[in-house]
């Protein structure tokens, strides 16, 4: 690794640290299709974790605090991932996406929703660490509101 590469890597790491919010704008995608696939895959695996917690909240599956906590931690981490797949030019709606063009017309609102959502996901992980199901329920429901709110506006 030459000096220039080391500097570039350090700069990249530093700027990631500073700008490490919900919307990481610096991902590179080869084309719009790969951005769409990336965000859909990320949303799916995020949903799998949320649904597993939902089963316990609804009482369909017995509440297990350790499993819930693991799911909540994974969910909080995953809540940051999908949004980079919306940030590229050209990742506009097409046949393979349910994303609506309104996202890019209302970018600041969409971005704010991702920030609010990740904050709620992190609150859920916090309360899941040692919290009872009664403590967890309202925080889970608050996180769930983000899904519907955003889908109603920006998903086909
Ligand atoms: C900030 C907006 C936003 C939030 C918050 C959000 N979503 Fe979505 N979601 C979208 C959009 C837009 C799409 C369509 C993506 C596409 O098809 O390109 C989508 C698609 C999906 C998909 C389909 C992925 C696929 O395979 O096509 C699932 C599942 C999903 N969301 C689950 C959730 C769940 C569960 C939550 C809450 C825990 C959530 N989303 C929160 C905007 C959001």
């Amino acid at each position: 690794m030459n000096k220039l590469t080391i500097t570039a890597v350090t700069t990249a790491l530093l700027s990631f640290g500073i700008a490490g919010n919900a919307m990481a704008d610096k991902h590179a995608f080869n084309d719009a299709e790969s951005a769409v696939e990336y965000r859909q895959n990320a949303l799916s695996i995020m949903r799998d974790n949320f649904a597993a917690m939902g089963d316990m909240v609804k009482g369909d599956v017995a509440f297990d605090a350790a499993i819930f906590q693991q799911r909540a931690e994974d969910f909080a981490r995953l809540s940051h991932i999908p949004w980079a797949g919306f940030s590229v030019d050209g990742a506009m709606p097409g046949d393979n996406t349910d994303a609506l063009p309104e996202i890019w017309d209302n970018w600041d609102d969409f971005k704010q929703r991702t920030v609010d959502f990740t904050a709620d996901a992190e609150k859920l992980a916090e309360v899941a660490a040692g919290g009872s199901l009664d403590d967890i329920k309202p925080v889970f429901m608050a996180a769930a509101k983000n899904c519907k709110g955003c889908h109603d506006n920006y998903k086909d």
Side-chain angles (χ1 to χ4, degrees):
M1 218 188 250
N2 65 31
K3 230 182 190 167
L4 200 66
T5 318
I6 293 170
T7 312
V9 169
T10 313
T11 311
L13 288 174
L14 281 176
S15 54
F16 183 75
I18 293 162
N21 61 17
M23 192 67 80
D25 287 318
K26 298 297 177 206
H27 284 58
F29 293 97
N30 291 339
D31 48 40
E33 283 72 31
S34 54
V36 170
E37 192 182 319
Y38 180 89
R39 71 195 185 213
Q40 290 180 342
N41 287 340
L43 284 158
S44 295
I45 194 159
M46 189 186 85
R47 183 267 324 273
D48 290 350
N49 283 283
F50 198 63
M53 290 187 281
D55 287 344
M56 289 191 207
V57 168
K58 281 182 277 174
D60 293 347
V61 170
F63 178 67
D64 180 313
I67 294 173
F68 196 101
Q69 184 178 350
Q70 183 64 60
R71 290 291 194 180
E73 283 170 9
D74 288 347
F75 176 69
R77 280 194 288 266
L78 289 163
S79 73
H80 289 266
I81 306 295
W83 319 118
F86 292 93
S87 66
V88 276
D89 288 339
M92 296 293 275
D95 291 345
N96 296 324
T97 173
D98 291 329
L100 295 176
E102 282 77 1
I103 292 172
W104 292 274
D105 296 339
N106 302 282
W107 184 250
D108 288 348
D109 178 65
F110 185 79
K111 189 168 174 168
Q112 186 59 47
R113 285 175 188 274
T114 70
V115 171
D116 295 345
F117 171 59
T118 54
D120 282 354
E122 274 157 17
K123 271 184 219 151
L124 182 59
E126 275 165 32
V127 73
S132 70
L133 190 53
D134 282 346
D135 296 332
I136 286 169
K137 261 184 193 166
V139 186
F140 179 89
M141 296 317 288
K145 281 201 181 121
N146 293 280
C147 319
K148 186 169 164 25
C150 193
H151 290 176
D152 284 352
N153 285 285
Y154 297 119
K155 181 175 174 288
D156 206 359

